[in-house]
Amino acid sequence: MALTIEDMARLSRLARLEVNPQTQNQTLDQLNGFFKLVEQMNAVDTTGVEPLAHPTDAMGVAAQLRLRDDHVAEPATAQARDANQASAPAVERGLFLVPKVIE
């Protein structure tokens, strides 16, 4: 599947985007490159290959993500809170005040 310049014009119109011809041609090349890559991936025989929850699962223990321990690094003091809230537009009794967004 390859897009044409007419497809790009239609997509631009549907998305209500004004795209100049040079950008339209560059985007067309990028999209067609993406579709070509998808076609190459779809052509690979994956019969018998178990799906992975995450790509690093295929690399074993050595590639597991290194996560830091989840612990508080700064003391929870009133001074620290006040310093963090110094740039807030509205604060009351140590709480950030935000505008109501849901009626």
Side-chain angles (χ1 to χ4, degrees):
M1 172 183 173
L3 294 177
T4 64
I5 198 70
E6 290 80 20
D7 295 326
M8 286 299 304
R10 184 168 184 260
L11 288 171
S12 300
R13 190 176 64 252
L14 290 172
R16 298 176 189 235
L17 295 173
E18 185 177 335
V19 182
N20 67 45
Q22 181 182 359
T23 303
Q24 204 170 43
N25 286 329
Q26 289 173 343
T27 304
L28 179 64
D29 290 342
Q30 291 173 342
L31 285 172
N32 282 332
F34 170 77
F35 289 135
K36 189 174 182 178
L37 178 64
V38 170
E39 286 176 5
Q40 289 175 346
M41 289 191 294
N42 283 336
V44 174
D45 181 13
T46 57
T47 304
V49 177
E50 292 292 323
L52 301 171
H54 193 278
T56 58
D57 292 347
M59 301 168 80
V61 178
Q64 288 186 357
L65 299 177
R66 287 178 247 140
L67 302 175
R68 64 178 170 83
D69 294 334
D70 189 17
H71 62 86
V72 176
E74 298 177 8
T77 64
Q79 292 83 12
R81 182 192 65 215
D82 292 344
N84 290 333
Q85 292 180 330
S87 62
V91 174
E92 183 177 305
R93 291 179 289 160
L95 302 173
F96 290 95
L97 298 180
V98 295
K100 186 175 184 178
V101 293
I102 299 174
E103 296 295 325

